[in-house]
Amino acid sequence: MKDSQGRVIYVGKAKNLRSRASSYFNAEAAVDVRTGYWVGEIADADYVETDSEVDALLMEARLIKDIQPKYNKDLKDDKSFPYLMITQREDFPRVEFTREPQEKNAKLYGPFASAGALRGAIQVLQRIFKFRTCSLDIDEGDERWKWFRPCLLASIDQCTAPCNLRITKEEYRKDIRRLQMFLEGNRDRLLKQLREEMLEASKELQFEKAAKLRDEINMLERLDERGELETHAQPEVFYIDPKKGLAGLRKVLGLATTPRSIEGVDIAHLQGGETVASLVQFLDGLPFKPGYRRYKIKGVKGVDDFRSIHEVVARRFKKLHAEGEVFPDVLLIDGGKGQLNAALAAFRDLEIEPPTLISLAKKEEEIYRLGESEPLRLSRHAYALRLLQYVRDEAHRFAQHYHHILRKKSTFGE
């Protein structure tokens, strides 16, 4: 919902859009204590269609956190959706419910829409695959673990007790691989087995056991209620140290001073061939939402990323130059050498000296620089690269989500 100035004042979701939207404009809504005091401000409404209820839930949360509409009360805090995490670099990998996943050496599934359903599913999965959920640092080569007393989970046969070396590393990892296969879609056999057990229990009048199996099946089926890591990124979860990122950029780009402002540009193609662009702004290594901009590409027919980048860069920096505004220290273009040259051409046509201009190609995460024939390849864990990835991914997310929200009205611009 938007007011007369085009500002988003409320974000919601609905299975039946016609029914939900119309409910704000009937007589009951005008006197409802939850909506009556602000429905009069609604001047426009727009929507984005999602593939599933889970996608709608996760997108709603992301939009509310980023836009902070004044009439949304929930989801404005920094609380994130949970993940299921399997550690990778341990002799006996751990399986965890977490809202603060590791950035490396872990396999992540999620984010999940329901924390309760995920916790319940992990309990069911542990009964079947018997993995550990403790935080012990178990080394198979350390004989002292033979004298360690396992916890209650081993006694009730829900853990194979690697803490007592009752299972070899190879056998334990086989169980973890089976778990991962299940999480990645190979679950029909297990669900079929549980349904047969439930039916058998029911026939034998063991109704409590049948009900328990029914609940377990429901929890396992709800593991599908999750988003994708890239599509539903949660920047507040995968924290990047801004100071180390900026210091790293100064070093790898050979800058005289540590950069403070970075702007990122991305191009997106929407339904019907409409092309839009996003510009995000980071100050001192953190997103600065008031500096975000949206553009509808006006002078390009069809799909042409190079000309679209030329247009948005020219529009942005022509305006900054005319108004005497300070340029960003670094301008990051999503793409490779061709996209970088398209941005440079915009500055040449304007006869304006560009800031430090670079591009980041997603497939190999290579950094292209002006005057350099070969791209710069950094370690995947380098702070500088991770900061650039954050800027690039934020620009991409902003282009996809926000331009969909505004697509019908074509109110893109500066």
Side-chain angles (χ1 to χ4, degrees), residues 301-320:
K301 292 184 179 180
V303 177
D304 190 332
D305 281 0
F306 297 156
R307 293 183 62 190
S308 298
I309 287 172
H310 184 288
E311 178 181 321
V312 69
V313 170
R315 287 169 61 184
R316 170 64 172 170
F317 286 89
K318 181 180 180 181
K319 184 173 186 290
L320 290 181

Side-chain angles (χ1 to χ4, degrees), residues 236-290:
E236 61 272 17
V237 172
F238 300 99
Y239 177 75
I240 296 168
D241 189 314
K243 290 185 178 179
K244 291 181 178 179
L246 293 172
L249 276 183
R250 177 182 179 179
K251 181 178 179 180
V252 300
L253 298 179
L255 304 178
T257 60
T258 301
R260 293 198 60 195
S261 60
I262 304 172
E263 292 188 357
V265 171
D266 185 42
I267 303 297
H269 307 286
L270 306 184
Q271 297 173 357
E274 185 177 43
T275 302
V276 295
S278 68
L279 182 141
V280 297
Q281 189 176 80
F282 278 54
L283 295 181
D284 292 328
L286 297 172
F288 181 67
K289 301 296 175 64

Side-chain angles (χ1 to χ4, degrees), residues 378-403:
L378 302 180
S379 164
R380 293 286 177 138
H381 304 304
Y383 291 108
L385 177 60
R386 290 167 60 199
L387 178 57
L388 292 179
Q389 289 171 326
Y390 187 5
V391 177
R392 188 267 315 279
D393 294 345
E394 181 73 353
H396 179 73
R397 181 189 61 78
F398 190 57
Q400 295 295 327
H401 290 184
Y402 294 87
H403 291 145

Side-chain angles (χ1 to χ4, degrees), residues 329-342:
D329 297 318
V330 177
L331 177 61
L332 175 66
I333 307 297
D334 180 20
K337 198 168 186 177
Q339 284 82 358
L340 180 67
N341 288 333

Side-chain angles (χ1 to χ4, degrees), residues 117-134:
L118 176 57
R119 289 186 191 277
I122 289 175
Q123 291 180 354
V124 178
L125 291 172
Q126 189 177 32
R127 182 174 64 81
I128 297 164
F129 297 104
K130 306 185 190 306
F131 49 77
R132 73 185 185 103
T133 54
C134 63

Side-chain angles (χ1 to χ4, degrees), residues 156-219:
I156 61 176
D157 197 29
Q158 288 195 22
C159 178
T160 49
C163 60
N164 191 224
L165 301 184
R166 295 183 187 179
I167 186 172
T168 66
K169 178 171 69 175
E170 289 72 22
E171 289 299 317
Y172 183 88
R173 284 180 173 271
K174 283 182 183 178
D175 291 338
I176 293 296
R177 283 195 292 273
R178 288 173 56 230
L179 169 64
Q180 288 183 270
M181 288 176 62
F182 178 86
L183 292 170
E184 291 164 10
N186 189 10
R187 63 184 66 178
D188 291 345
R189 179 191 290 183
L190 177 57
L191 289 174
K192 180 181 178 182
Q193 179 183 332
L194 291 175
R195 291 190 182 101
E196 289 174 351
E197 289 181 19
M198 179 181 69
L199 183 60
E200 187 65 27
S202 179
K203 287 180 178 178
E204 295 178 1
L205 305 182
Q206 298 178 9
F207 298 120
E208 287 188 10
K209 181 179 179 181
K212 182 173 181 290
L213 287 165
R214 177 203 61 203
D215 294 341
E216 290 180 352
I217 291 169
N218 289 337
M219 284 186 285

